[in-house]
Amino acid sequence: AQTVTQSQPEMSVQEAETVTLSCTYDTSENNYYLFWYKQPPSRQMILVIRQEAYKQQNATENRFSVNFQKAAKSFSLKISDSQLGDTAMYFCAFMKGHYGQNFVFGPGTRLSVLP
Amino acid sequence: DSGVTQTPKHLITATGQRVTLRCSPRSGDLSVYWYQQSLDQGLQFLIQYYNGEERAKGNILERFSAQQFPDLHSELNLSSLELGDSALYFCASSPTRGTGELFFGEGSRLTVL
C-alpha cells in the first residue's frame, strides 16, 4: 500500500519570504501522480499543483513549484513570495495510475504566513 | 467552483440518529470519493465508487454505507450516530482518465449532539 509522509506538522514564514514544505512517499509503482492541495480556513480543498511521475521536469504554477526527486521518492513544495492568503493546511497526495485508484493523502502541514 | 455539489452544507443532529449526505459529481466524472475530516485532522478515505460500482473501501465504519446511483450522484448514509462522528465529510470526483486530480465539493459539516 502506498503511504505519504509529511514530517512538518506546522511551519511559519514571514510575508514575502520563501518556504519549502516536505513530502515523501512510498510506492512500488512506476506510473503515478503527485499533488499538493491547500485547505484554507474556509475548509475548501484547492488543488495547488500536480506532477506526473513520468515527467522529469518539475511542475510550476506561478509562485508555487515542486522539487520532484523520483528515486528518493520526495516531492517538496516551494512557495515563493509568501502571501497572507497562503495561510492554510497543505496536503501532499499520491495517486496510482490514471483512474483515481488509491488516492492517498499525507497528514498535512499547517502553514502560517506572518505579516 | 469545482463543479462538485454537496448537500446539506451543515447538519446538526442527535446521537443515535441517521443522516444522508448527498453528492453530485462534476459533469462527466464517473468516480466519486468520500472522505471524513475530523477537527484539525487529515482526510480519512471512506469509500470510492466508479460508475455505480464500489471500487475501493477505506476505514469506513459498518454504521456507514454509501451508494452511487445511475445518474452518478452518490449518497453517504450515517446511522446510529455517535459524538465522534462529528466531522466534515467531503465528496470528490475525478475524470475517467486524464490529469488524475480530485475535484472536491465544499463539504458537509455534521455536528452530533
Side-chain angles (χ1 to χ4, degrees), chain B residues 7-83:
Chain B
T7 57
K9 284 189 169 47
H10 299 276
L11 190 56
I12 301 174
T13 188
T15 54
Q17 295 298 304
R18 172 189 170 95
V19 298
T20 297
L21 309 180
R22 182 187 168 102
C23 169
S24 294
R26 293 188 327 149
S27 177
D29 286 356
L30 301 182
S31 277
V32 168
Y33 299 73
W34 286 98
Y35 287 87
Q36 178 194 55
Q37 187 179 36
S38 301
L39 187 63
D40 290 333
Q41 298 294 313
L43 290 120
Q44 296 296 320
F45 170 64
L46 296 178
I47 199 163
Q48 178 199 357
Y49 280 86
Y50 178 81
N51 200 22
E53 299 289 328
E54 182 184 303
R55 170 156 285 190
K57 209 171 210 179
N59 298 322
I60 187 167
L61 299 173
E62 286 191 10
R63 301 183 286 109
F64 295 1
S65 64
Q67 56 184 325
Q68 186 179 28
F69 294 87
D71 67 353
L72 300 178
H73 91 271
S74 179
E75 293 181 357
L76 179 67
N77 300 297
L78 314 176
S79 62
S80 302
L81 285 168
E82 302 175 358
L83 296 178

Side-chain angles (χ1 to χ4, degrees), chain A residues 1 20 24 26 32-33 38 51 64 103:
Chain A
T20 299
T24 58
D26 185 25
Y32 52 88
Y33 293 81
K38 164 185 175 180
Q51 175 81 42
F64 299 88
F103 207 106

Side-chain angles (χ1 to χ4, degrees), chain A residues 33 37 39 44 50 99-100, chain B residues 33 37 96-98 101-102:
Chain A
Y33 293 81
Y37 278 85
Q39 188 179 40
Q44 175 72 45
R50 169 200 316 114
Y99 301 101
Chain B
Y33 299 73
Q37 187 179 36
T96 300
R97 186 180 174 92
E101 70 209 63
L102 296 188

Side-chain angles (χ1 to χ4, degrees), chain A residues 29-84:
Chain A
E29 300 290 329
N30 196 42
N31 295 321
Y32 52 88
Y33 293 81
L34 295 163
F35 308 87
W36 279 97
Y37 278 85
K38 164 185 175 180
Q39 188 179 40
S42 67
R43 308 301 293 271
Q44 175 72 45
M45 292 290 289
I46 302 166
L47 178 69
V48 175
I49 200 164
R50 169 200 316 114
Q51 175 81 42
E52 293 93 333
Y54 63 88
K55 288 187 177 179
Q56 292 187 341
Q57 185 173 4
N58 289 324
T60 299
E61 288 287 342
N62 300 314
R63 297 182 295 107
F64 299 88
S65 62
V66 298
N67 183 3
F68 173 48
Q69 302 289 330
K70 190 172 183 179
K73 296 179 183 175
S74 170
F75 183 61
S76 60
L77 174 70
K78 185 172 83 171
I79 306 175
S80 303
D81 186 25
S82 296
Q83 300 175 0
L84 296 178

